[in-house]
């Protein structure tokens, strides 16, 4: 996908890569871990970054422009998350289908299935545990009746627009008098985390009669019951479909129970890392699914057992002959054992005069409470269990009643947020790319457990533990849903992840090394979280522990001159040695943040200590590490074998300044040198064709394709350092491949 496309408009983007998440960071453009590094011949010296930019490109970038509409071949690879935050994963495809049903609590690891940014999956390969589910339109008028699926098999003229959190799909056909406009989203209301975290997707179908005569139109939705699929080859399971009332709406409720086996029936968890036994009700994918026709009316119909093999017209006919929404209060139940996954369906019929529009709204719901990551969290005290949404709504019926009762208000607030964001003089492409990152929170990158704890991969199924040296790049969640970030600071970073004796924080909290950039990011994040709080209660709770963290960092600055020394593990997965501009810059920003918090907490002695070291560092760092065009590193002569970018032009060199601005801390690096460093990154690291750079510098993973523009992590324009020296020797050498890569999260912090 070329960056000309504004939304994460590619199924490729649904396959997540570690660190591209950074900043919620990537533009929700996440690629999978692309396998082992290629061979690593020495790159060409002084490689010239081509910038094939057309005349007037700056004016084009600054122009307001218009929203991007996708049609034709683009639609096949479009995907946009439309589920609730931390509630599982469900994507809207470019033609309106629902894809990537990762709602069943399995550990989804796309990278292990050979899916990469270079070789992305097509939608047909992403069905896995997905149910047979869809929507269709029936139109009757002018003496004829026609049925169409609301996807690319039913309409040739489809248009998609993605303005997160709302995806819009339009369906037209000159041969059909009715056009359809779909709005799909989960409620998204900044500062209202609970109502933005519902395991629910709303689908509003607006039908318009474009013809000269009255018509009758009906929209049908259906869903296959795939509850407890992991048990299907082990024990008989009875899947049950019911139709019932839920807060004035019509609910199809799909569940399961043991078949003649009772509650004592036990099965092996088929997708667990190790054999785990328990009753059916403890299975990861035991729970309920639902399809709800909102705001029930007299023309609603439902069936609980739609036979397989029916054509579309026969499905509509089955609803007319066998479905009766008026009987919804009397629950009906059918079931078959084991491999039978029968479907339920519901529809609404409306009459449309010429030019008239009517909206028919559905909700897709899910309730699978048994989340467990025992294979990833080894410490029993930190082992996350259960879904947070299930703690709020013990049953799918309670969830459905909540959605039925407040969907109109939440939909209005979601549209208000979207409209407010786009009511701007800023360019449309810029608004897209600076907000679409937030959609990461509605993917299987992140989870919220029963006790409220937030947990995240670096990318779906890759690199666990809300890793602090990656997640500190994130900024969006803290501004939109600050309670989630406060939870990460207080209960993860400064909770079980903190060594109360030393002040060290392991980068994966339950395990792992201490990463100095991650520790500094935690301190800076804590100030940001305090600033996003209504009072000082959060700061007063965490300050004593934050001081321990800062004291640990200060001990890594033996001269107390603002420059870290010794082994400095960091987000590039190796320990660098020497005076390193980007790591010490983060340390200086953390000193300023800790000074501000110490003053508010009444700890004036520590505030004076932090300020004194900061002032020395603000003078020492540019004096020692300014290389004339950009900031460089001074190598520890005792550790020449360690990875280090040396005098290379490194993408994160002024990251500490960006963080300082996020927290309102003023200047860490001199302004003139900061500007010059950024200009050098543009000159030496940015190219309009990453492919040509990769051809000359093949080490690393293909995270951008030929013809795509991007900023490379590190280049070596000087003669006193090159990639071969940057590799060092020993175990860390392999991690220097990162320097040749193009990762979105790092690009965003530079921007």
């Amino acid at each position: 996908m070329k960056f000309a496309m504004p939304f994460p408009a590619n199924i490729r983007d649904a396959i997540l890569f570690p660190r591209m998440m950074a900043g919620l960071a990537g533009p929700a453009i996440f690629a999978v871990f692309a396998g082992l590094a290629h061979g690593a011949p020495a790159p060409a010296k002084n490689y010239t970054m081509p910038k094939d930019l057309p005349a007037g490109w700056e004016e084009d970038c600054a122009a307001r422009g218009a929203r991007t509409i996708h049609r034709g071949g683009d639609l096949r690879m479009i995907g946009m998350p439309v589920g609730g935050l931390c509630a599982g994963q469900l994507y809207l495809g470019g033609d309106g289908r629902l894809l990537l049903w990762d709602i069943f609590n399995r550990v989804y690891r796309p990278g292990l299935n050979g899916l990469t940014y270079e070789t992305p999956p097509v939608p047909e390969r992403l069905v896995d545990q997905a149910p047979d589910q869809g929507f269709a339109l029936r139109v009757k008028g002018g003496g004829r009746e026609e049925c169409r699926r609301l996807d690319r098999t039913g309409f040739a003229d489809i248009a998609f627009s993605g303005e997160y959190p709302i995806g819009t799909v339009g369906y037209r056909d000159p041969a059909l008098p009715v056009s359809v406009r779909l709005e799909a989203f989960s409620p998204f209301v900044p500062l209202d985390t609970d109502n933005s975290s519902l395991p629910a997707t709303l689908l509003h179908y607006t039908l318009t009669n474009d013809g000269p005569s009255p018509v009758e139109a009906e929209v049908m939705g259906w869903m296959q019951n795939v509850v407890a699929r992991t048990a299907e080859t082990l024990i008989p399971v009875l899947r049950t479909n019911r139709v019932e009332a839920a807060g004035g709406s019509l609910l199809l409720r799909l569940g399961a129970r043991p078949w003649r086996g009772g509650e004592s029936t036990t099965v092996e968890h088929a997708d667990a890392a190790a054999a785990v036994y328990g009753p059916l009700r403890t299975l990861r994918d035991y729970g309920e699914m639902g399809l709800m026709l909102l705001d029930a009316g007299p023309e609603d119909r439902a069936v609980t057992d739609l036979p397989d093999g029916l054509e579309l017209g026969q499905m509509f006919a089955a609803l007319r002959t066998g479905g009766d929404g008026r009987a919804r209060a009397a629950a009906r139940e059918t079931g078959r054992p084991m491999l039978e996954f029968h479907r339920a369906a519901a529809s609404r019929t409306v009459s449309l005069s010429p030019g008239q529009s009517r909206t028919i709204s559905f909700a897709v719901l899910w309730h699978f409470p048994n989340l467990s990551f025992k294979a990833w969290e080894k410490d029993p005290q930190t082992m996350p269990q259960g879904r947070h949404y299930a703690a709020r709504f013990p049953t799918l019926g309670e969830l459905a009643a909540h959605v039925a009762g407040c969907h109109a208000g939440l939909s209005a607030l979601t549209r208000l947020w979207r409209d407010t964001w786009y009511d701007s003089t800023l360019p449309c492409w810029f608004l897209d790319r600076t907000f679409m990152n937030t959609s990461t929170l509605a993917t299987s990158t992140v989870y919220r457990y029963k006790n409220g704890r937030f947990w995240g991969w670096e990318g779906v199924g890759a690199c666990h533990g809300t890793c602090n040296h990656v997640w500190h790049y994130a900024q969006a969640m803290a501004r939109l849903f600050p309670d989630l970030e406060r939870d990460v600071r207080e209960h993860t970073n400064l909770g079980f992840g903190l060594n109360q004796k030393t002040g060290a924080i392991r980068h994966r909290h339950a395990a792992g090394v201490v990463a100095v950039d991650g520790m500094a990011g935690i301190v800076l994040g804590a100030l940001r979280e305090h600033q996003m709080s209504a009072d000082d209660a959060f700061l007063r709770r965490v300050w004593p522990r934050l001081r321990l963290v800062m004291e640990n960092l200060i001990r890594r600055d033996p001269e107390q001159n603002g420059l870290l020394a010794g082994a400095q593990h960091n987000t590039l997965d190796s320990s660098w040695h020497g005076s390193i501009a980007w790591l010490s810059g983060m340390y200086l920003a953390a000193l300023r943040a800790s000074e501000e918090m110490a003053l508010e907490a009444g700890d004036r002695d520590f505030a004076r200590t932090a300020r004194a070291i900061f002032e020395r560092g603000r003078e020492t760092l540019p004096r020692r590490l300014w290389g004339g065009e950009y900031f460089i590193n001074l190598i520890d002569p005792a550790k020449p074998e360690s990875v280090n970018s040396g005098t290379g032009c490194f993408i994160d060199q002024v990251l500490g300044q960006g963080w300082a601005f996020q927290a309102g801390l003023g200047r860490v690096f001199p302004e003139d040198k900061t500007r010059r460093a950024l200009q050098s990154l543009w000159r030496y690291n940015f190219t309009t064709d990453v492919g040509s750079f990769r051809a000359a510098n093949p080490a690393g993973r293909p995270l951008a394709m030929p013809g795509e523009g991007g900023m490379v992590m590190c280049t070596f324009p000087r003669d006193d350092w090159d990639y071969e020296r940057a590799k060092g020797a020993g175990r860390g050498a392999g991690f220097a491949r990162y320097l040749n890569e193009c990762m979105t999260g790092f690009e965003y912090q530079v921007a």
Side-chain angles (χ1 to χ4, degrees):
M1 184 190 74
K2 300 187 185 304
F3 275 128
M5 291 186 181
F7 187 75
N10 203 310
I11 292 298
R12 166 182 285 162
D13 313 337
I15 309 302
L16 314 186
F17 174 76
R19 296 172 187 74
M20 296 197 113
M21 170 48 252
L24 295 182
I29 300 227
F30 336 122
V32 75
F33 192 98
L36 300 176
H38 296 288
K45 274 287 190 181
N46 298 316
Y47 179 82
T48 301
M49 287 295 196
K51 294 178 176 59
D52 299 323
L53 296 163
W57 70 270
E58 291 175 281
E59 291 79 7
D60 288 344
C61 284
R64 168 65 176 159
R67 66 194 304 220
T68 301
I69 307 296
H70 300 278
R71 289 185 166 86
D74 285 351
L75 300 179
R76 186 165 179 260
M77 297 298 286
I78 283 175
M80 176 178 136
V82 288
L85 311 183
C86 312
Q89 176 176 280
L90 187 60
Y91 269 66
L92 177 70
D95 66 348
R97 288 178 299 163
L98 296 178
L99 306 171
L100 280 88
W101 291 71
D102 195 12
I103 62 175
F104 303 104
N105 298 326
R106 65 180 293 239
V107 179
Y108 183 59
R109 307 194 74 192
L112 301 184
N113 297 326
L115 308 180
T116 71
Y117 187 75
E118 191 174 25
T119 57
V122 295
E124 289 73 16
R125 289 184 61 194
L126 296 172
V127 293
D128 199 19
Q129 290 189 316
D132 173 13
Q133 189 280 322
F135 296 90
L137 171 70
R138 180 183 66 86
V139 176
K140 182 179 181 180
R144 67 190 185 98
E145 180 175 295
E146 193 163 353
C147 302
R148 303 280 188 93
R149 289 181 67 114
L150 288 163
D151 58 30
R152 62 193 176 108
T153 68
F155 286 82
D157 185 1
I158 301 178
F160 174 93
S161 175
E163 294 176 336
Y164 190 75
I166 299 176
T168 304
V169 185
Y171 304 88
R172 290 183 181 276
D173 188 328
L176 200 66
V178 173
S179 60
V180 182
R181 181 176 183 268
L182 164 65
E183 275 191 337
F185 56 89
S186 191
F188 186 96
V189 184
L191 303 183
D192 186 349
T193 302
D194 280 349
N195 276 321
S196 301
S197 305
L198 300 173
T201 297
L202 304 179
L203 301 110
H204 302 284
Y205 290 94
T206 299
L207 315 181
T208 301
N209 183 357
D210 301 315
S213 305
V215 298
E216 177 184 275
E218 181 180 10
V219 176
M220 170 182 60
W222 68 92
M223 180 180 286
Q224 183 187 38
N225 186 338
V226 294
V227 173
R229 182 173 265 177
T230 55
E232 67 192 34
T233 60
L234 301 168
I235 62 169
V237 173
L238 175 67
R239 292 182 176 83
T240 60
N241 293 352
R242 300 161 61 90
V243 56
E244 59 188 48
S249 295
L250 180 67
L251 173 64
L252 299 174
R253 191 167 176 176
L254 284 55
R257 68 169 185 258
W259 177 265
R260 300 176 181 150
E263 292 303 312
S264 62
T265 301
T266 60
V267 300
E268 181 178 352
H269 285 232
D271 61 350
V276 180
Y277 295 86
L280 173 65
R281 291 183 180 274
T282 68
L283 279 177
R284 289 180 181 179
D285 61 350
Y286 175 82
E288 293 182 280
M289 309 167 65
L291 179 65
M292 186 158 58
L293 189 52
L294 295 165
D295 303 322
E299 297 302 320
D300 295 351
R301 293 187 173 275
V303 293
T304 58
D305 196 4
L306 197 64
D308 294 334
L310 296 183
E311 296 178 353
L312 203 56
Q314 294 172 317
M315 293 170 66
F316 277 106
L319 278 163
R320 289 196 298 274
T321 58
D324 185 357
R326 290 170 296 182
R328 57 190 173 274
R332 299 195 300 273
E333 184 174 292
T334 59
R336 300 180 187 135
M338 294 189 67
L339 300 179
E340 298 290 344
F341 301 102
H342 51 290
R343 297 172 296 169
S347 74
R348 177 173 298 159
T349 302
V350 296
S351 297
L352 297 171
S353 301
Q356 186 181 11
S357 296
R358 294 278 300 275
T359 297
I360 299 174
S361 298
F362 290 84
V364 171
L365 311 170
W366 58 94
H367 191 275
F368 293 93
N370 301 328
L371 180 67
S372 175
F373 271 10
K374 293 181 180 180
W376 304 108
E377 295 285 353
K378 304 299 185 184
D379 185 344
Q381 293 183 337
T382 68
M383 188 181 295
Q385 299 289 331
R387 287 278 186 183
H388 185 256
Y389 66 66
R392 294 182 58 215
F393 304 106
T395 67
L396 184 122
E398 290 163 284
L399 167 67
H402 177 78
V403 173
C406 63
H407 75 91
L410 292 177
S411 294
L413 287 171
T414 303
R415 294 188 187 101
L416 178 61
W417 169 261
R418 188 270 314 272
D419 295 344
T420 302
W421 179 259
Y422 282 94
D423 181 17
S424 171
T425 58
L426 291 169
C428 288
W429 67 264
F430 183 81
L431 295 168
D432 285 335
R433 295 182 197 184
T434 50
F435 193 71
M436 64 174 70
N437 315 328
T438 314
S439 67
T440 302
L441 295 173
T443 72
S444 294
T445 304
V446 296
Y447 301 83
R448 198 175 182 200
Y449 297 101
K450 187 175 182 179
N451 64 0
R453 175 185 164 194
F454 178 92
W455 190 97
W457 300 98
E458 293 184 35
V460 170
C463 306
H464 64 287
T466 324
C467 181
N468 57 54
H469 69 34
V470 169
W471 274 88
H472 85 82
Y473 285 81
Q475 299 291 344
M477 186 169 79
R479 305 301 184 181
L480 297 165
F481 305 102
D483 54 326
L484 293 180
E485 284 284 8
R486 284 193 293 268
D487 174 75
V488 175
R489 297 293 87 72
E490 190 166 5
H491 298 123
T492 300
N493 302 152
L494 301 172
F496 59 83
L498 175 66
N499 185 321
Q500 297 277 359
K501 295 181 179 179
T502 67
I505 303 174
R506 295 166 291 189
H507 78 309
R508 299 196 188 280
H509 303 101
V513 299
V514 175
V516 295
D517 53 345
M519 293 240 297
I522 288 167
V523 175
L524 286 156
L527 175 58
R528 178 191 60 196
E529 273 60 271
H530 167 56
Q531 293 167 342
M532 291 296 293
S533 299
D535 53 37
D536 65 353
F538 167 79
L539 176 60
R540 294 195 177 279
R541 288 196 305 270
V542 301
W543 169 247
R545 288 172 282 171
L546 285 169
R547 176 170 173 163
L548 287 174
V549 174
M550 281 309 303
E551 288 171 341
N552 182 285
L553 284 172
I554 290 170
R555 289 195 295 272
R556 298 169 188 271
D557 174 13
E559 297 181 19
Q560 297 205 355
N561 63 359
L563 297 180
L564 297 172
Q568 297 161 59
H569 197 86
N570 58 68
T571 195
L572 299 190
D573 291 331
S574 55
S575 293
W576 295 25
H577 293 77
S579 297
I580 300 159
W582 65 289
L583 298 176
S584 289
M586 284 290 294
Y587 167 53
L588 292 180
L591 285 166
R592 274 288 292 119
S594 64
E595 177 197 6
E596 294 289 329
M597 289 185 285
L599 288 171
E600 289 205 47
D603 192 345
R604 296 190 176 276
D605 288 342
F606 187 85
R608 282 191 290 270
T609 297
R611 184 72 190 197
I613 299 173
F614 169 77
E615 291 294 349
R616 289 192 290 272
R618 186 163 62 168
E619 184 277 329
T620 302
L621 190 151
R623 176 169 52 82
R624 291 194 185 181
L625 302 183
W626 179 248
E629 293 183 280
Y630 52 84
F631 290 97
I632 63 172
N633 306 332
L634 295 179
I635 311 306
D636 183 349
K639 293 287 184 178
E641 75 282 1
S642 69
V643 172
N644 202 303
S645 62
T647 62
C649 188
F650 182 64
I651 198 167
D652 268 357
Q653 59 185 276
V654 289
L655 172 61
Q657 185 60 69
W659 243 121
F661 284 153
Q662 283 287 339
L665 297 173
R667 286 279 164 193
V668 172
F669 292 87
E671 180 176 355
D672 60 338
K673 291 180 171 57
T674 302
R675 288 182 177 275
R676 185 67 188 278
L678 293 171
Q679 289 165 358
S680 295
L681 283 170
W682 168 262
R683 177 184 179 186
Y684 294 122
N685 295 52
F686 179 79
T687 174
T688 52
D689 184 2
V690 175
S692 61
F693 175 85
R694 295 288 301 153
N697 305 274
R701 293 155 295 193
L703 306 181
M705 293 293 98
E708 294 180 335
M711 184 169 282
V712 174
M713 295 278 287
C714 188
T715 59
F716 301 93
R718 293 169 44 150
D719 290 331
D720 57 350
W721 204 261
D722 58 23
Y723 177 75
E724 287 302 309
R725 293 192 67 187
K727 287 196 305 181
R731 179 185 178 276
F735 293 102
R737 70 179 186 270
Y738 292 135
L739 301 181
N740 287 338
E741 295 172 351
C742 180
M743 296 197 208
T744 324
F746 295 92
E747 293 179 299
Y748 265 62
Q749 70 81 10
V750 171

